Amino acid sequence: MNADNTANADKTAVPSRVLVTGATGYLGGRLAPRLVDAGFTVRVLARTPSKLDGVPWAENVEIAQGDLGDRDSLKKAFADVDVVYYLVHSMGSPGKNDFAEVERISAENVAAVAAEAGVSRIVYLGGLHPETGELSEHLESRAEVGRILIESDVPTFVLQAGVVIGAGSASFEMIRHLTNRLPVMTTPKWVHNKIQPIAVRDILHYLIEAATADLPESRTYDVGGPDVMEYGEMMNIYAGVAGLRPRRMVVLPVLTPRLAGHWIGLVTPIPRGLAMPLIESLQYDAVAHETGIDDVIARPEGDLTSYRESVRLALRAVDDGEPKTTWSVVVSAPSDPLPSDPDWAGEVVYTDVRSVYLGSGPEVIRPRLRAAVESGATKGWKIDDSDSEQDSSDIRLRSTGVLPGNAWLLYSATSAGGGTRLEQRTYFFPRGLAGHAAWYGSLPVRKVLAGRTLQAVVAEVDRS
């Protein structure tokens, strides 16, 4: 690190303006609103600002259009900024096969423009990796980005984390989909490699604190959760939290990362272009090699989150019967899913929707509907009042039956053509292969029962 870098290392004691790159991504979309809550003035960089349309926190930040690959587009975005968060990774991006070269150019652009703009600090999130030996292209690329930034003229705080656990995280979603779908799986030998996962809320804590933490010199800091385990153990702990039986794994030494990547692309919704670098990274242990972070940033309140608790938090939407997150719902926890998460993120949810038209208006139908449900017209279903944020005009019920998954009924009454459209919507979150088989195998009976349930509700509404 040069002399200017060292001299400027303490300029971020009280930063006021921060720039978040990758604000439409997994971590950036969760970090930006929490930086606002922490009192920072936040500017976000987006290649396509329209992706932030409808995002509730967007009105509290300044949005700049730019691309890390275009140095000129960064100059305006970096102006008057104290701290730049570098959260962009090109792996899995359409049209970017050589993501390592894209990452190198992006890092050089950020370093050059940040120095020219007088930025006081760069905060970069890299990946945990072995200290010696050859790395995968993905891990080597992330390490190279860190080196470029550390060797720049801008003080740089590099956090190195492993698997981030939270709904929407690519690494977590791969665990979710593989474990949910395959009770028995053939795996490469890397299922026995050591992993130190970290909860998304904990990595966000470190990212926020990194803006103001002491930084005597540019360097890397390893961060991880309290648990170190094999990748196979992570899948079986997930299975236990999700209510699944332990998964059997048959290790095939000849299963190469490329073959495994193709296989994951076939059996899960994760794009092959994203699965491949993730799989290649799993060839190596991903554990923290030092604890220097404890000297500059205090641990989160209540200490670091265990892996088991991280999974429980990530699956909370399933337990609460939330089939889809919308921006109209306040997201209170970083482990919750966001509408901006990719389509392949989250649980598979099956739905059955049917409706009838009633002549009276919603103001008449709604109290009758609740009375009908409370009278027992929906046999096998119980009103669920656990969601305090639920719209009072809707009625949600949870199945009382023993099922290979979680099932809910949602009734809504909306104005339509001078009367009311009464809708009955069934949601089913399958648990493992048995859940998927149950949904399709019960199709004829399920449709009959759903129709009869709606008829019983309508009859009770008419009687009342």
Side-chain angles (χ1 to χ4, degrees):
M1 183 174 64
N2 62 35
D4 290 339
N5 190 323
T6 305
N8 293 335
D10 61 351
K11 286 187 177 181
T12 54
V14 187
S16 59
R17 184 181 295 276
V18 301
L19 173 70
V20 178
T21 66
T24 58
Y26 175 71
L27 281 174
R30 288 160 171 81
L31 177 64
R34 289 169 176 82
L35 287 169
V36 172
D37 292 341
F40 294 97
T41 299
V42 179
R43 179 185 296 163
V44 300
L45 181 72
R47 188 186 305 115
T48 309
S50 60
K51 289 185 177 181
L52 294 172
D53 290 349
V55 177
W57 52 259
E59 62 186 21
N60 299 320
V61 305
E62 180 184 348
I63 301 175
Q65 183 172 15
D67 188 324
L68 298 190
D70 180 359
R71 186 173 295 193
D72 289 338
S73 74
L74 302 181
K75 294 180 179 179
K76 183 177 180 180
F78 281 43
D80 302 320
V81 166
D82 298 311
V83 178
V84 170
Y85 281 95
Y86 193 128
L87 302 177
V88 175
H89 299 295
S90 300
M91 67 167 190
S93 300
K96 294 185 177 179
N97 294 324
D98 188 5
F99 66 81
E101 177 67 10
V102 173
E103 291 279 80
R104 183 186 61 77
I105 293 173
S106 296
E108 291 174 348
N109 288 344
V110 168
V113 177
E116 181 182 333
V119 170
S120 299
R121 179 174 298 189
I122 296 172
V123 178
Y124 170 66
L125 180 61
L128 289 174
H129 55 80
E131 295 181 293
T132 59
E134 187 176 342
L135 300 176
S136 71
E137 185 182 14
H138 166 53
L139 283 179
E140 179 57 42
S141 173
R142 296 184 72 176
E144 183 186 20
V145 169
R147 288 193 294 269
I148 291 171
L149 298 177
I150 286 174
E151 293 169 3
S152 74
D153 292 331
V154 182
T156 299
F157 199 121
V158 177
L159 292 167
Q160 297 188 144
V163 174
V164 176
I165 305 301
S169 160
S171 297
F172 173 74
E173 294 300 337
M174 189 164 73
I175 293 172
R176 183 208 301 261
H177 290 304
L178 284 174
T179 310
N180 281 354
R181 297 178 180 215
L182 300 173
V184 179
M185 61 186 87
T186 56
T187 64
K189 59 183 179 181
W190 50 250
V191 293
H192 295 310
N193 286 349
K194 296 296 184 181
I195 308 291
Q196 189 170 0
I198 186 169
V200 60
R201 64 180 182 180
D202 292 342
I203 194 62
L204 288 173
H205 163 78
Y206 285 121
L207 284 168
I208 293 170
E209 294 299 318
T212 56
D214 290 338
L215 183 64
E217 62 176 354
S218 295
R219 57 161 288 185
T220 62
Y221 289 94
D222 290 355
V223 293
D227 304 311
V228 176
M229 65 195 75
E230 294 182 357
Y231 193 81
E233 290 181 79
M234 292 177 64
M235 288 194 282
N236 272 325
I237 290 174
Y238 171 93
V241 176
L244 301 169
R245 294 179 179 178
R247 277 21 200 162
R248 293 184 58 193
M249 299 171 203
V250 180
V251 177
L252 297 180
V254 296
L255 190 58
T256 66
R258 183 164 297 277
L259 286 174
H262 284 292
W263 171 64
I264 287 175
L266 288 173
V267 301
T268 78
I270 297 175
R272 186 175 63 85
L274 178 58
M276 199 73 74
L278 289 176
I279 288 294
E280 290 174 349
S281 299
L282 291 174
Q283 298 176 83
Y284 311 92
D285 291 340
V287 298
H289 298 285
E290 47 87 20
T291 58
I293 192 66
D294 291 335
D295 298 329
V296 293
I297 296 179
R299 292 190 174 191
E301 184 178 355
D303 214 339
L304 295 166
T305 310
S306 70
Y307 174 67
R308 186 178 297 274
E309 176 64 7
S310 301
V311 173
R312 187 194 67 78
L313 291 170
L315 297 182
R316 187 170 62 174
V318 178
D319 294 335
D320 291 346
E322 296 294 345
K324 185 178 181 180
T325 304
T326 63
W327 286 123
S328 62
V329 178
V330 176
V331 180
S332 59
S335 55
D336 289 338
L338 293 182
S340 55
D341 292 338
D343 292 340
W344 44 259
E347 295 281 350
V348 172
V349 185
Y350 294 119
T351 60
D352 177 276
V353 183
R354 53 194 67 224
S355 62
V356 295
Y357 176 81
L358 302 175
S360 301
E363 68 282 353
V364 174
I365 296 299
R366 284 170 184 159
R368 292 183 180 181
L369 174 61
R370 180 165 290 275
V373 170
E374 292 175 346
S375 70
T378 53
K379 294 181 180 179
W381 301 88
K382 181 181 179 181
I383 293 180
D384 180 68
D385 294 320
S386 61
D387 186 359
S388 60
E389 300 296 331
Q390 183 177 323
D391 188 337
S392 59
S393 66
D394 294 341
I395 303 174
R396 187 173 65 173
L397 303 94
R398 186 166 188 162
S399 173
T400 59
V402 179
L403 301 170
N406 297 328
W408 281 266
L409 268 182
L410 182 68
Y411 285 99
S412 62
T414 56
S415 180
T420 298
R421 181 176 182 264
L422 175 60
E423 181 182 270
Q424 172 185 281
R425 186 179 291 264
T426 306
Y427 294 112
F428 181 64
F429 293 82
R431 186 182 302 124
L433 283 179
H436 294 279
W439 177 262
Y440 287 110
S442 65
L443 179 62
V445 175
R446 175 166 46 80
K447 285 190 172 294
V448 170
L449 291 177
R452 287 180 178 175
T453 299
L454 180 57
Q455 289 173 1
V457 170
V458 170
E460 191 63 31
V461 167
D462 288 339
R463 277 196 294 271
S464 61

